[in-house]
């Protein structure tokens, strides 16, 4: 029997569904963690692309009797036929009051540009299937479900149909949407008394239908993120808001201002697999070549990020300012060819992260102090690293028009960047990820035990540090946890509700470090191991009872972030030899 | 449930959110900090809402920005609250939660296939 076989709880980024992360041990469901975020989010998928979680924008995508759907001249009889996935979840759509178009419909929000709607339809007693989108005008596609052919499309609609077996057809339309809010239609063209079958509606960004992804609320899906390699980590983050509207569409119509530069057409693939725009300098004068966006007032520490790729220029300057003031000297110039900071005259906290395919995410952190009434984000096509700074301004003299490519602008309150939050006409908040197992007394050692976590460290906000894994109890205030502290140490501590019974802390670990940390506890016998090495012991203290296991949070309400590869509990204090073995990288 | 709220200023907003248990004070090891109350998923400080950005020449402000009245918060919670006159329903919200609708829905007037198509 291996050491892992003796654990009372093991959680890895493996099986999941909306609102739930399945435990590996126990495997009977008694160790499954609940996942709550109440918003969608993004992740890096296995193809290294930024992706919405879930990418299917439609809610309750195969439950057309759910209240999120509305009905036009139709009623639904749910779960009456075998669906394309073999489950008895296919619905019957019945003609109700009128003829010629009998559908379910919903309103959805997503970016302008190419979008693709698909649905599985099967002939009942009618003739044609209908799949349509409204973005200010109707864009219809009609499908012959007898022959498996596209029957008719409105102008601006690209349609296709795929055989899904057993009489089901996947009917697909793509339009170039001009609205951030669209209405979807899925259904059949029916006469009096007729019916057809429907299942699996999906709306995605881009011109590819993508594999069908079942959804319910869409809001509480664990994020399996591939930022750190070919094996996924569970990405957990605090609440953050992207204050920048139209974060991917930098046009003047969307409130962006250009100086001696213009927006180039979308011509290359963005980090999300869609299209990105360029900034092209329009003069050779020694002056700004930039765009900027004005936001409402900011205060405290804010982190600004943008994805960028070299074009004919390899240098991008990123800076922020407040109230048009000249007092905020903070432009950082990034080299998009070598992936380094080319110039950071003012010592700003900044970094550059390689996202593949020559894309980089540029990070710039600035303290607005007590704040102002408005703020600007400035993105400069500096053309060269040997630029001239006039106060906070970045000038250069390109010999000819040059271009850089940009995508995904974000400004968030906080000292470090979190995952990208797309926006359209409004700022957008992604809530904190809460991954919790309540009523877990049977899984947690009450008088002795071991906590273990394998994670990549992300940032932490200054005061609270970042909890990696914890058990706690609301009624007593007791807490046993592994935390990345505000001073960059790793700490194992045990708190009985009024005082620390154990506090072992050491090391200086950096964002991006992978750490395997274990804390063993027993009355007057506490120990902490990190990456195979004993960090410290404590021979005085008692063990409080706890009943809840948490990734990323505790009863004290402090939520932070990390990439978790595994978390585990034992109901015994493992031996030092076992702890060393467990934590060896 | 999502609540969109407008207050006279930040102080008034915080006082109301604390009075309703949306923000609570938590003490850990004799240090106090603010946390969300039970059932609260998010508290978002939107602050001032800029209706018209400043007009600038270079970085010189020619015209100051124009703001909507009040200081704004968005709340997401499982609980039901009575915010009275502080609760607003903007037609073009300046803030949204990811995955939740930003705008009002279109009026639904479908146009279907005709015999001529």
């Amino acid at each position: 029997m291996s050491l892992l076989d003796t654990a009372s709880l093991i959680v890895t980024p493996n099986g999941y569904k909306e609102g739930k992360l399945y435990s590996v041990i126990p495997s009977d469901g008694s160790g499954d963690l609940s996942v709550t975020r109440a918003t969608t989010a993004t992740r890096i998928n296995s193809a290294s692309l930024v992706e919405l979680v879930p990418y299917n924008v439609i809610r309750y995508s195969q439950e057309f009797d759910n209240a999120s759907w509305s009905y036009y001249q139709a009623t639904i009889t749910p779960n009456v036929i075998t669906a394309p996935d073999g489950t008895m979840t296919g619905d019957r759509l019945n003609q109700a009051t009128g003829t010629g178009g009998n559908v379910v419909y919903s309103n959805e929000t997503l970016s302008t540009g190419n979008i693709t709607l698909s649905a599985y339809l099967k002939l009942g007693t009618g003739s044609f299937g209908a799949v349509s989108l409204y973005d200010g005008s109707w864009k219809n596609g009609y499908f012959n479900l007898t022959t498996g052919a596209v029957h008719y499309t409105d102008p601006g609609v690209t349609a296709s149909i795929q055989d899904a077996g057993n009489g089901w057809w996947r009917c697909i339309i793509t339009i170039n949407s001009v609205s951030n809010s669209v209405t979807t239609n899925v259904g059949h063209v029916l006469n009096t008394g007729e019916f057809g079958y429907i299942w699996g509606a999906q709306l995605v960004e881009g011109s590819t239908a993508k594999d069908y992804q079942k959804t319910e609320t869409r809001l509480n899906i664990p994020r399996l993120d591939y930022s750190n390699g070919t094996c996924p980590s569970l990405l957990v983050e605090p609440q953050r808001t992207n204050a920048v509207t139209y974060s991917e569409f930098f046009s003047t119509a969307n409130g962006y201002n250009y100086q001696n530069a213009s927006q180039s057409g979308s011509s290359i693939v963005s980090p999300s697999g869609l299209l990105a725009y360029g900034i092209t300098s329009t003069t050779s004068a020694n002056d700004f070549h930039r765009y900027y966006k004005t936001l409402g007032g900011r205060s405290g520490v804010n982190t600004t990020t943008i994805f960028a790729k070299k074009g004919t220029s390899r240098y991008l300057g990123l800076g922020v300012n407040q109230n048009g003031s000249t007092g905020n000297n903070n432009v950082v110039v990034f080299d998009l060819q070598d992936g380094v900071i080319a110039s950071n005259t003012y010592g700003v906290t900044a970094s550059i992260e390689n996202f593949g395919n020559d894309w980089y995410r540029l990070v710039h952190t600035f303290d607005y102090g007590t704040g102002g009434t408005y703020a600007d984000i400035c993105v400069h096509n500096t053309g060269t690293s040997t630029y001239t700074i006039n106060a906070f301004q970045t000038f250069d003299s390109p010999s000819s028009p040059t271009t850089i490519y940009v995508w995904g602008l974000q400004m968030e309150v906080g000292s470090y960047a979190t995952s990208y939050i797309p926006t359209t006409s409004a700022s957008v908040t992604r809530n904190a990820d809460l991954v919790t197992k309540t009523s877990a007394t049977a899984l947690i050692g009450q008088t002795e035990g071991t906590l273990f976590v394998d994670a990549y460290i992300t940032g932490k906000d200054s005061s609270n540090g970042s909890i990696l894994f914890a058990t706690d109890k609301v009624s007593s205030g007791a807490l046993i946890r592994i935390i990345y502290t505000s001073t960059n140490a790793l700490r194992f501590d045990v708190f009985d509700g009024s005082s620390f019974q154990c506090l072992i802390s050491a090391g200086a670990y950096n964002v991006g470090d992978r750490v395997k940390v274990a804390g063993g506890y027993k009355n007057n016998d506490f120990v902490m191991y990190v990456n195979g090495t004993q960090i410290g012991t404590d021979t005085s203290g008692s063990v409080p009872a706890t009943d809840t296991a948490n990734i990323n949070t505790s009863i004290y309400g402090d939520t932070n972030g990390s990439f978790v590869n595994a978390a585990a509990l034992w109901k015994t204090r493992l031996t030092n030899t076992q702890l060393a073995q467990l934590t060896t990288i | 449930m999502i609540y969109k709220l407008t207050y006279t200023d930040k102080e008034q907003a915080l006082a109301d959110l604390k009075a309703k248990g949306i923000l609570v004070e938590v003490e850990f090891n004799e240090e106090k900090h603010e946390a969300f109350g039970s059932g609260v998923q998010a508290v978002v400080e939107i602050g001032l809402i800029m209706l018209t950005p400043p007009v600038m020449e270079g970085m010189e402000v020619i015209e100051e920005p124009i703001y909507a009245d009040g200081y704004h918060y968005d709340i997401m919670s499982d609980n039901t609250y009575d915010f009275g006159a502080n609760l607003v329903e903007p037609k073009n919200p300046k803030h949204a939660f990811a995955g939740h609708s930003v705008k009002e829905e279109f009026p639904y007037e479908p146009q279907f296939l005709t015999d001529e198509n």
Side-chain angles (χ1 to χ4, degrees), chain A residues 19 64 121 227 269 363 519 536:
Chain A
F64 299 104
L121 304 177
S227 295
V269 176
V363 183

Side-chain angles (χ1 to χ4, degrees), chain A residues 142 181 185 373-374 427 429 556, chain B residues 33 61 67 95-96 106 108 113:
Chain A
Y142 295 93
S181 182
N185 269 353
T373 54
Y374 63 91
S427 62
T429 295
Y556 294 100
Chain B
H33 70 272
V61 178
Y67 295 92
H95 172 262
F106 291 115
Y108 186 72
L113 197 65

Side-chain angles (χ1 to χ4, degrees), chain A residues 10-14 21 33 223-225 228 231-237 435 452-458 466-469 513-515 550-553 560-568:
Chain A
I10 297 179
V11 180
T12 63
N14 194 353
L21 182 65
L33 281 72
R223 286 183 287 170
L224 273 57
D225 186 283
N228 297 302
C231 292
S233 302
L234 174 68
L235 173 58
V236 287
E237 294 183 302
V435 184
F452 167 75
V453 65
D454 172 358
Y456 290 93
I457 293 172
T458 60
S466 180
I467 288 176
L468 299 177
F469 191 37
D513 286 351
R514 181 179 183 180
V515 292
N550 297 296
I551 293 172
N552 188 43
T553 190
N560 290 279
S562 59
F563 293 96
V564 178
N565 301 318

Side-chain angles (χ1 to χ4, degrees), chain B residues 20-80:
Chain B
K20 288 181 167 59
I22 294 167
L23 291 175
V24 296
E25 193 172 70
V26 173
E27 183 172 340
F28 177 64
N29 195 31
E30 299 181 346
E31 290 185 4
K32 294 179 179 177
H33 70 272
E34 217 163 59
F36 297 162
S38 177
V40 178
Q41 278 109 21
V43 176
V44 181
E45 180 183 356
I46 299 168
L48 300 174
I49 291 178
M50 189 168 57
L51 299 176
T52 306
V55 177
M56 306 170 79
E57 284 185 6
M59 295 312 296
E60 183 181 355
V61 178
I62 306 302
E63 293 181 24
E64 291 291 333
I66 299 172
Y67 295 92
D69 291 337
Y71 200 86
H72 306 270
Y73 275 81
D74 275 7
I75 308 296
M76 183 189 287
S77 176
D78 293 334
N79 306 323
T80 301

Side-chain angles (χ1 to χ4, degrees), chain A residues 176-445:
Chain A
N176 188 357
S177 172
V178 297
S179 173
N180 298 311
S181 182
V182 296
T183 301
T184 68
N185 269 353
V186 174
H188 291 261
V189 179
L190 300 174
N191 292 313
T192 302
E194 292 183 335
F195 64 88
Y197 299 104
I198 61 175
W199 186 79
Q202 176 158 294
L203 179 63
V204 298
E205 295 181 327
S207 54
T208 302
K210 292 187 176 181
D211 292 342
Y212 170 64
Q213 187 178 49
K214 176 191 173 186
T215 67
E216 293 175 355
T217 68
R218 301 184 67 243
L219 303 178
N220 299 304
I221 299 178
R223 286 183 287 170
L224 273 57
D225 186 283
Y226 290 79
S227 295
N228 297 302
T230 54
C231 292
S233 302
L234 174 68
L235 173 58
V236 287
E237 294 183 302
Q239 175 186 315
R240 291 290 180 90
T241 299
N242 185 0
V244 182
T245 55
Y246 297 103
S247 60
E248 298 166 22
F249 301 92
F250 309 123
S251 66
T252 53
N254 290 338
Y256 289 88
N257 302 283
Y258 283 79
Q259 288 183 280
N260 302 313
S262 63
Q263 182 184 35
S264 307
S266 55
S267 57
I268 63 166
V269 176
S270 76
S272 71
L274 303 178
L275 293 173
Y277 294 88
I279 310 169
T280 300
S281 59
T282 53
T283 74
S284 58
N286 182 31
D287 207 332
F288 292 125
H289 300 87
R290 66 170 189 171
Y291 73 86
Y292 66 91
K293 175 92 167 181
T294 301
L295 311 176
R298 312 296 293 173
S299 62
V301 176
N302 283 248
T303 295
T304 302
T305 50
I306 190 168
F307 293 85
K309 179 175 182 172
K310 70 174 182 177
T312 49
S313 172
R314 61 188 275 190
Y315 298 106
L316 182 149
L318 182 61
V320 298
N321 58 64
Q322 181 169 291
N323 293 0
S325 165
T326 58
N328 307 316
N329 302 321
N330 60 52
V331 170
V332 177
V333 177
F334 297 87
D335 181 344
L336 303 175
Q337 179 165 299
D338 293 342
V340 297
I341 294 174
S343 172
N344 189 357
T345 306
Y346 301 105
V348 171
T349 300
S351 61
I352 180 168
E353 182 181 359
N354 191 341
F355 263 72
N357 195 28
D358 290 331
W359 281 98
Y360 293 91
R361 194 180 193 196
L362 317 179
V363 183
H364 178 290
T365 300
F366 179 72
D367 188 350
Y368 279 94
T370 55
T373 54
Y374 63 91
D376 298 302
I377 302 174
C378 305
V379 180
H380 306 258
N381 175 0
T382 64
T384 171
S385 67
T386 55
Y387 63 97
T388 303
I389 292 179
N390 177 4
F392 63 99
Q393 303 169 357
T394 303
F395 291 168
D396 75 300
S397 306
S399 57
S400 61
T402 60
T403 298
I404 53 175
Y405 297 100
V406 286
W407 184 84
L409 181 60
Q410 180 159 308
M411 178 183 271
E412 55 192 306
V413 173
S415 61
Y416 63 97
T418 65
S419 61
Y420 172 59
I421 304 167
T423 70
T424 56
S425 60
S427 62
V428 173
T429 295
R430 177 203 62 236
N431 292 352
D433 300 274
L434 304 178
V435 184
T436 298
K437 172 58 187 171
T438 58
S439 303
T441 305
L443 303 174
I444 301 169

Side-chain angles (χ1 to χ4, degrees), chain A residues 503-544:
Chain A
L503 200 158
I504 305 169
S505 175
Y509 299 90
N510 299 314
V511 169
D513 286 351
R514 181 179 183 180
V515 292
K516 291 187 174 183
V517 192
Y521 59 89
K522 192 175 185 180
N523 281 347
N524 304 319
D525 180 12
F526 301 89
V527 66
M528 178 184 184
Y529 274 77
V530 178
N531 296 348
T533 301
Q534 186 181 99
I535 297 298
T537 61
D538 189 335
T539 58
S540 176
S542 59
V543 175

